[in-house]
Amino acid sequence: MSSDPTRMCELLVGLPDVNVLEVTETDDALRVKIETRGDRPTCRDCGGLVKVKDRDEVEYADLPCFGRRSVLVWRKIRWACVAGCGARSFTETAAAIAAPRQRLTDRAGRWATVQVGRRGRPVSDVAGELGAGWDAVMDAVAGYGQVLIDDPDRFTDVEAIGLDETLRCKTGRWKTQQWSTQIVDVGAGQLLDVAEGRNAAGPCEWFAEQPPQWRDGIRWAALDLSGPYRKVFDTMLPVAQQVADPFHVTKLAGTRLDECRRRVQNETMGHRGRKDDPLYRCRRLLTKADERLDERGRTRLLGLLDAGDPRGEVKTMWHAKEVVRSIYSHRDPVLALEFVTRLGHDLQDEDHPVEAHQLGRTLLRWRHQICAWHASGVTNGPTEAINNLIKRVKRVAFGIVNHRNYRIRALLYAGKPNWDLLPTIEPR
Ligand SMILES: [Zn+2]
């Protein structure tokens, strides 16, 4: 170990081939000024000698050091041709210190990419820790992250693919909703990509960019009960069997029940639910799965329905929701199809409320996709994994206005990039 203090300082700075010129301390940061001591380059045009024309000090946010933020001040040399061949002067570069166009040092940029991309931390937190601007951190995450998500080996063959919409943010005075479509490997629980919007165009374009043999390998295509995604699969994956996601099917029954409860509430009381109204008081009990209601809860629910639901419409929808859930206790695809078909017709009985009619029509329209679940052997496992995945992505993503930034962050977080590549890639 050297006893030369300058050499010690260079070791602490941990960068190759630099001279530490000065270390200063301010109230909240350590400033380390360096210059390179690499070989002198040659003129880019004539290949002749160059001379130092100027020096510019450029500041980079670096990794915190000894519990303090740290700023690397790089005294960059501006070189000019000795022969004066007409070549423009140029500033030195050293990717090991900082990549071109980045405002974080290389090591801080890679660290920020892990914090934001892999751990899902907010950009503002990481920026605060580094003493850098929000844009500087996001530029680093995008620069390094883009290479990781574009890695051609990030995903290979997919047997079951799924599309799901996500509300990305609400913008502007009218809180305009911005939507995205997640393209997911249902089996692996991996986010493959994110398309803008929730119509057919984005996902169609994405599928068109994939190799035909890759598309041909997809056997199952999972979707919510949305027309646009059905169109995507009809046109881009005509051979794949479409499967309606059980989560969305049972969720739809819950939504119709809720609509019915609100309507009956309004019609019987003449106002929206208040805390003493029986239908308002039972709203949570209604959403509970029947087997999770104990005897007391059940009695309470029936009592509240007796008081607030004179024509028994909410009760009908409550039963309907439970029957829709029971679709998934069937094991045999043929029996399941019979069951769903009969249920779809029964729900349209003229004695039933309008919400039951709607639910019945939807079930009939989607009955083959609903019962493909029983044939696909797609168990609840992957569905759960996907729902968790989507929740995670939403948590990371919500409020991100810019689609490109959202795509990078969502894919770094849930797209299973190969993080082993991070130390060796060159940022874009
Ligand atoms: Zn020259």
Side-chain angles (χ1 to χ4, degrees):
M1 190 52 102
S2 166
S3 60
D4 174 359
T6 311
R7 174 76 188 129
M8 290 294 289
C9 200
E10 283 163 19
L11 285 171
L12 282 174
V13 170
L15 293 169
D17 297 328
V18 299
N19 295 323
V20 174
L21 303 173
E22 190 181 54
V23 178
T24 49
E25 224 184 325
T26 60
D27 286 346
D28 60 344
L30 203 63
R31 292 171 62 88
V32 179
K33 192 183 284 188
I34 57 144
E35 64 180 12
T36 60
R37 54 164 184 248
D39 294 336
R40 187 174 285 244
T42 53
C43 174
R44 287 169 173 186
D45 278 10
C46 70
L49 293 174
V50 290
K51 61 184 180 191
V52 175
K53 187 192 176 203
D54 234 333
R55 287 181 190 268
D56 299 323
E57 288 190 359
V58 185
E59 293 189 2
Y60 296 90
D62 202 354
L63 290 179
C65 180
F66 304 122
R68 264 169 310 187
R69 302 203 307 222
S70 97
V71 179
L72 193 78
V73 185
W74 180 4
R75 245 183 125 224
K76 285 188 170 186
I77 302 168
R78 177 160 278 281
W79 298 104
C81 177
V82 171
C85 73
R88 291 177 57 184
S89 62
F90 61 96
T91 307
E92 66 170 330
T93 57
I97 303 173
R101 294 180 304 279
Q102 294 287 350
R103 283 162 287 172
L104 267 49
T105 63
D106 181 62
R107 56 191 175 193
R110 289 176 205 267
W111 179 81
T113 305
V114 171
Q115 299 305 310
V116 173
R118 194 173 193 176
R119 313 234 184 282
R121 294 181 59 197
V123 173
S124 52
D125 277 17
V126 175
E129 222 162 290
L130 290 173
W134 192 98
D135 287 335
V137 171
M138 191 60 228
D139 283 351
V141 174
Y144 294 87
Q146 189 76 53
V147 181
L148 290 177
I149 64 180
D150 285 348
D151 170 19
D153 295 327
R154 186 169 61 84
F155 62 88
T156 53
D157 293 347
V158 171
E159 200 183 12
I161 205 155
L163 293 178
D164 197 86
E165 62 177 29
T166 298
L167 179 62
R168 199 170 76 232
C169 60
K170 296 175 186 165
T171 55
R173 191 174 163 197
W174 308 110
K175 303 269 173 235
T176 311
Q177 296 179 328
Q178 309 274 346
W179 294 86
S180 294
T181 299
Q182 334 263 26
I183 305 165
V184 172
D185 179 339
V186 176
Q190 179 183 21
L191 184 66
L192 300 181
D193 217 317
V194 181
E196 208 164 359
R198 54 170 169 173
N199 50 27
C204 277
E205 207 174 294
W206 187 85
F207 279 109
E209 284 165 5
Q210 310 304 315
Q213 64 271 28
W214 181 85
R215 291 199 301 263
D216 291 345
I218 299 172
R219 292 182 56 208
W220 309 103
L223 72 173
D224 56 10
L225 304 173
S226 90
Y229 294 160
R230 189 162 163 172
K231 191 178 153 204
V232 172
F233 291 145
D234 283 345
T235 48
M236 300 312 296
L237 302 174
V239 183
Q241 173 74 61
Q242 293 176 17
V243 187
D245 177 13
F247 170 79
H248 286 103
V249 176
T250 49
K251 192 177 147 204
L252 180 77
T255 305
R256 294 285 169 264
L257 163 62
D258 210 48
E259 286 167 3
C260 179
R261 177 183 61 78
R262 287 162 198 267
R263 179 180 57 78
V264 173
Q265 160 79 39
N266 248 311
E267 287 173 4
T268 54
M269 309 295 284
H271 57 72
R272 288 174 53 177
R274 293 176 190 161
K275 70 176 172 39
D276 294 328
D277 297 338
L279 282 184
Y280 188 76
R281 284 167 65 199
C282 70
R283 71 197 189 287
R284 291 228 155 82
L285 290 166
L286 284 169
T287 60
K288 261 197 179 174
D290 192 42
E291 69 271 11
R292 288 177 58 200
L293 272 181
D294 57 16
E295 206 43 54
R296 230 179 101 238
R298 216 184 146 74
T299 312
R300 199 168 112 81
L301 174 59
L302 290 172
L304 289 167
L305 285 179
D306 274 346
D309 180 32
R311 293 187 299 276
E313 293 171 291
V314 179
K315 200 172 182 179
T316 299
M317 289 311 292
W318 175 52
H319 285 307
K321 180 202 69 167
E322 290 305 317
V323 179
V324 167
R325 287 184 62 242
S326 78
I327 292 172
Y328 298 100
S329 56
H330 281 266
R331 284 287 161 258
D332 183 273
V334 177
L335 292 179
L337 187 61
E338 275 174 24
F339 181 81
V340 172
T341 308
R342 202 172 57 233
L343 176 61
H345 287 299
D346 287 353
L347 283 168
Q348 294 185 71
D349 188 296
E350 61 181 27
D351 292 339
H352 289 333
V354 57
E355 293 83 5
H357 298 172
Q358 290 173 340
L359 182 60
R361 284 197 299 273
T362 310
L363 291 179
L364 287 179
R365 195 161 60 238
W366 291 86
R367 64 185 186 278
H368 293 291
Q369 283 88 347
I370 291 170
C371 296
W373 181 85
H374 299 78
S376 69
V378 176
T379 64
N380 259 326
T383 311
E384 275 303 299
I386 293 315
N387 291 334
N388 289 336
L389 176 72
I390 283 158
K391 265 186 233 157
R392 267 163 51 200
V393 175
K394 280 183 177 163
R395 190 165 57 78
V396 168
F398 194 76
I400 304 181
V401 178
N402 180 297
H403 171 75
R404 174 178 159 269
N405 290 346
Y406 167 56
R407 178 174 175 266
I408 288 169
R409 291 177 63 181
L411 283 172
L412 287 175
Y413 191 62
K416 298 193 178 174
N418 181 358
W419 287 99
D420 292 343
L421 298 178
L422 179 62
T424 52
I425 55 167
E426 278 180 34
R428 204 168 291 160

